[in-house]
Amino acid sequence: MGEISSKPLAAPGGRFLLVPVSSSPAAKPPSPPPERIRIGVVEDEMMIRQMLAMCLNQHSSFELVGQAANVPEARQMILTQSPHALILDLGLGGQSGLSFAVEALEKIPDLRILAVTATHDGSAVRNALDLGVTGFVSKGESFEVLQTALDHLAQGRAYYSPSALKLLRNNLSTPPPAFEQLTPRERDVLRESALGLSVKEIGTKLSISENT
């Protein structure tokens, strides 16, 4: 609390009055709330799409700006809403979510994408990693894994879930690809796997899985 001082003030008749003056600094206006991340959901299954939307509406870092059930709707959302991030299903009723990811990243290069899938295909994880997709989560994983992925997405950090990393490691080593054909990120994963590191240890070391 600031100190109270007195200041002389002239009064009628040549007298002076002492008027208390506070030395407390003026109160600063409250800081504006941080800008929320504009995010869209691209998912062909209505129930899952609505559940993801409910989850995002409860997350303080995100503002849900659109939902799409297929690639044409997703294209329209990209054009009209200019989202900062997407939750993208890789299997859109026979359409390729990864192909749309390429298209979306061409239009918005810094777009953050969290890929979700029901398949257990290591090549899908590998392709997502090569494209620069921010995160990857299986639909069969827990709600806590999804929450962790969303927290990382909000911070602009990569997150590949434990099951995604396991699929990636299996894909890189069976059958063994030519080492020079791998991307630098894939080489890192394969090197750490050859050293005997677990999926969790690889993820922590390369910052592509759960970080607490």
Side-chain angles (χ1 to χ4, degrees), residues 1-185:
M1 182 178 295
E3 297 179 354
I4 303 295
S5 61
S6 297
K7 177 180 179 181
L9 181 66
R15 293 175 298 155
F16 288 88
L17 299 177
L18 293 180
V19 179
V21 178
S22 173
S23 62
S24 300
K28 294 182 179 180
S31 300
E35 182 182 0
R36 293 198 294 170
I37 298 164
R38 296 168 54 81
I39 190 168
V41 176
V42 184
E43 165 63 58
D44 62 334
E45 296 185 45
M46 181 182 295
M47 181 181 295
I48 296 178
R49 186 170 67 249
Q50 291 177 344
M51 290 176 63
L52 289 170
M54 289 175 59
C55 183
L56 290 169
N57 283 328
Q58 295 173 1
H59 200 294
S60 60
S61 297
F62 295 107
E63 176 189 359
L64 181 62
V65 296
Q67 301 180 47
N70 50 53
V71 170
E73 291 180 5
R75 288 194 185 107
Q76 185 66 19
M77 181 172 61
I78 289 288
L79 290 174
T80 59
Q81 299 299 328
S82 299
H84 305 136
L86 284 181
I87 297 180
L88 176 62
D89 181 16
L90 297 187
L92 295 169
Q95 299 172 302
S96 172
L98 278 178
S99 295
F100 174 70
V102 174
E103 183 180 333
L105 287 168
E106 287 177 351
K107 289 183 171 63
I108 309 177
D110 57 350
L111 183 68
R112 307 175 195 176
I113 298 178
L114 174 61
V116 295
T117 182
T119 64
H120 300 282
D121 183 4
S123 63
V125 186
R126 178 177 174 178
N127 291 335
L129 184 66
D130 290 345
L131 286 175
V133 169
T134 312
F136 197 107
V137 172
S138 169
K139 291 182 180 179
E141 293 183 280
S142 69
F143 183 73
E144 287 73 19
V145 170
L146 175 62
Q147 288 281 25
T148 301
L150 290 176
D151 290 341
H152 280 64
L153 191 69
Q155 299 166 17
R157 297 164 59 196
Y159 179 87
Y160 278 64
S161 70
S163 66
L165 280 177
K166 185 175 182 180
L167 289 171
L168 177 63
R169 184 172 67 175
N170 292 340
N171 179 264
L172 292 179
S173 57
T174 309
F179 190 77
E180 63 274 8
Q181 294 178 355
L182 300 179
T183 65
R185 195 63 149 175

